[in-house]
Amino acid sequence: GESVGLHLPTLSVQEGDNSIINCAYSNSASDYFIWYKQESGKGPQFIIDIRSNMDKRQGQRVTVLLNKTVKHLSLQIAATQPGDSAVYFCAENSRESKGSQGNLIFGKGTKLSVKP
Amino acid sequence: DTEVTQTPKHLVMGMTNKKSLKCEQHMGHRAMYWYKQKAKKPPELMFVYSYEKLSINESVPSRFSPECPNSSLLNLHLHALQPEDSALYLCASSHAPGFRLSSQQFFGPGTRLTVL
C-alpha cells in the first residue's frame, strides 16, 4: 500500500507485480516531464520522459502516462524486481521557467520497496 | 560517454576549511548545474551555468562559490560552511537552451559532504 505523512511516501509491492507511482503537478505551462530513479547513495538516474503533446510513452518495462486535464503524471513499472527498489522523483519543466533554461522542478519523491 | 563524474565521493570538513567539489562531463553539454539534496528530499537547484556563464543563482549564500573553467568542468568552492550545509551535492548537465533535449538533465553520483 501507499502511505503519505511526514516521511517520504512509500509504495510496497511484491516482486513480479506491477507498480504505479503517481505525481501531481501544479503548473499548467509545464510542457516536459521526466522521471528519475535514485538508489541509496547515488545520483538520480534518468528513466523516461514525456512532452506535453503526448499522453503516453513506453520504455523497457516502464510506461509514463500524462493527464494534462487533471495535471497528473504516473510511472508504471511492469514485473517489478528487487533492483527497482529506490526513490522515484518526477520533475517538470516549463518554457516559461527562469531564464528559459531547462530548469526542472522536482516532486517530493516516492520510495518504492519491492518484497521478494 | 554519457557520464557525469564527481569528485570526491565523500568529504568531511571543518567550518574553517576551504575545499572544492569537482564535476566533469564529456557529452558536449553546454549547461551545467549544482544541486543540494538533503536526506529524503528532492534535489534543490543552487546554480546554473550556460555556455560557461552563470545564468542562475538561487539565492545561495556566498560561502558557496561556483566556477566553470571550461565547457566540461564545473567546480563548487566551499568556505566557512555550517553544519547545516551537510548534504549530498549533485552536479548535472544538459544541452543548452534552444536544443530539443535541453530539459533532459544527466546527474552525477554526488559528493556526500559532512561539515563538522
Side-chain angles (χ1 to χ4, degrees):
Chain A
E2 183 175 328
S3 64
V4 177
L6 294 175
H7 304 287
L8 200 62
T10 300
L11 177 65
S12 295
V13 299
Q14 205 68 38
E15 181 179 358
D17 287 352
N18 296 335
S19 302
I20 300 176
I21 300 171
N22 297 304
C23 179
Y25 65 95
S26 55
N27 187 354
S28 302
S30 290
D31 58 0
Y32 175 79
F33 304 86
I34 190 167
W35 281 99
Y36 286 98
K37 170 187 180 183
Q38 188 173 24
E39 296 175 88
S40 181
K42 297 184 178 180
Q45 177 189 358
F46 170 84
I47 303 173
I48 193 167
D49 59 359
I50 188 168
R51 296 212 166 269
S52 58
N53 60 352
M54 303 172 71
D55 51 25
K56 180 179 179 178
R57 191 165 188 223
Q58 286 185 288
Q60 191 174 17
R61 272 200 316 119
V62 294
T63 300
V64 55
L65 298 177
L66 175 62
N67 185 331
K68 294 180 286 293
T69 304
V70 295
K71 299 200 209 62
H72 183 267
L73 190 70
S74 69
L75 176 70
Q76 299 178 2
I77 304 173
T80 315
Q81 303 167 359
D84 295 326
S85 294
V87 176
Y88 289 81
F89 291 102
C90 64
E92 60 183 295
N93 173 252
S94 165
R95 272 189 229 122
E96 298 174 355
S97 64
K98 198 180 298 186
S100 299
Q101 188 64 39
N103 293 344
L104 296 175
I105 300 168
F106 283 81
K108 289 185 168 55
T110 297
K111 182 177 179 179
L112 177 65
S113 181
V114 182
K115 294 176 281 190
Chain B
D1 184 358
T2 58
E3 194 179 17
V4 177
T5 59
Q6 289 187 245
T7 55
K9 287 187 177 178
H10 301 276
L11 179 62
V12 179
M13 60 186 289
M15 289 189 284
T16 58
N17 291 159
K18 281 186 182 180
K19 296 285 183 185
S20 296
L21 309 185
K22 297 187 182 302
C23 174
E24 189 168 2
Q25 57 87 16
H26 294 288
M27 293 179 275
H29 290 165
R30 301 304 295 275
M32 296 186 77
Y33 311 76
W34 279 115
Y35 288 84
K36 173 183 178 179
Q37 187 178 27
K38 295 286 239 181
K40 299 185 180 180
K41 298 288 187 183
E44 296 174 27
L45 184 66
M46 299 173 73
F47 302 104
V48 181
Y49 272 83
S50 181
Y51 294 101
E52 296 86 70
K53 287 185 171 32
L54 183 64
S55 61
I56 292 175
N57 175 342
E58 289 284 2
S59 303
V60 180
S62 60
R63 57 186 185 269
F64 295 92
S65 175
E67 178 197 18
C68 191
N70 60 53
S71 60
S72 300
L73 294 174
L74 185 67
N75 298 323
L76 186 63
H77 303 298
L78 314 172
H79 174 53
L81 294 195
Q82 304 296 311
E84 59 264 30
D85 295 322
S86 298
L88 181 68
Y89 287 84
L90 294 162
C91 172
S93 71
S94 73
H95 287 296
F99 282 81
R100 188 174 67 86
L101 296 174
S102 63
S103 299
Q104 190 180 93
Q105 294 181 22
F106 293 86
F107 283 83
T111 293
R112 175 73 59 190
L113 175 68
T114 303
V115 183
L116 301 177

